[in-house]
Amino acid sequence: QVQLVESGGGLVQPGGSLRLSCAGSGIILRINGILWYRQAPGKERESVATITSDDSTNYAGSVKGRFTISRDNAKNTVYLQMNSLKPEDTGVYYCKIPGRVEGQGTQVTVSS
């Protein structure tokens, strides 16, 4: 069974950091492009970061310079390091292999 499982979300104060993980099972992540996106209540879904199979990365303007997407091929996991978090970063974060599978999401809440 092909699955992506996100973890690492939580409650953090503005200015804080979190690292989200996207672990793959039944699929090799290093040969796939991975997308992180987020969904906040009342807002449109927003693509946050992508990493391609050749490790090219791309970021939404709203997170550029603060978020970093990376891989650990040995762990078959993709990470989203989020620094200098803002309240507007609050939402459910999902990882996805476009057209194939996505995870169940992990909640990130940035609040004092």
Side-chain angles (χ1 to χ4, degrees):
Q1 183 181 5
V2 175
Q3 273 189 311
L4 298 177
V5 179
E6 301 95 336
S7 62
L11 172 64
V12 63
Q13 292 188 342
S17 297
L18 284 173
R19 188 178 76 161
L20 306 184
S21 299
C22 171
S25 62
I27 189 166
I28 300 173
L29 296 190
R30 66 176 170 80
I31 63 173
N32 286 279
I34 308 296
L35 163 71
W36 281 99
Y37 72 92
R38 64 189 179 191
Q39 179 76 63
K43 294 185 179 180
E44 291 189 2
R45 180 179 296 186
E46 179 184 19
S47 294
V48 172
T50 59
I51 186 166
T52 66
S53 57
D54 63 358
D55 289 343
S56 295
T57 58
N58 195 34
Y59 300 92
S62 58
V63 308
K64 194 171 292 186
R66 300 188 297 121
F67 290 13
T68 303
I69 189 171
S70 63
R71 297 179 186 272
D72 185 332
N73 293 331
K75 295 182 178 179
N76 203 33
T77 299
V78 171
Y79 300 101
L80 185 67
Q81 177 67 44
M82 306 187 297
N83 299 328
S84 301
L85 283 162
K86 304 175 181 180
E88 52 263 43
D89 295 317
T90 294
V92 181
Y93 283 69
Y94 301 85
C95 64
K96 177 177 180 178
I97 299 176
R100 186 154 186 192
V101 64
E102 66 180 80
Q104 81 291 346
T106 185
Q107 175 71 47
V108 171
T109 302
V110 185
S111 175
S112 55

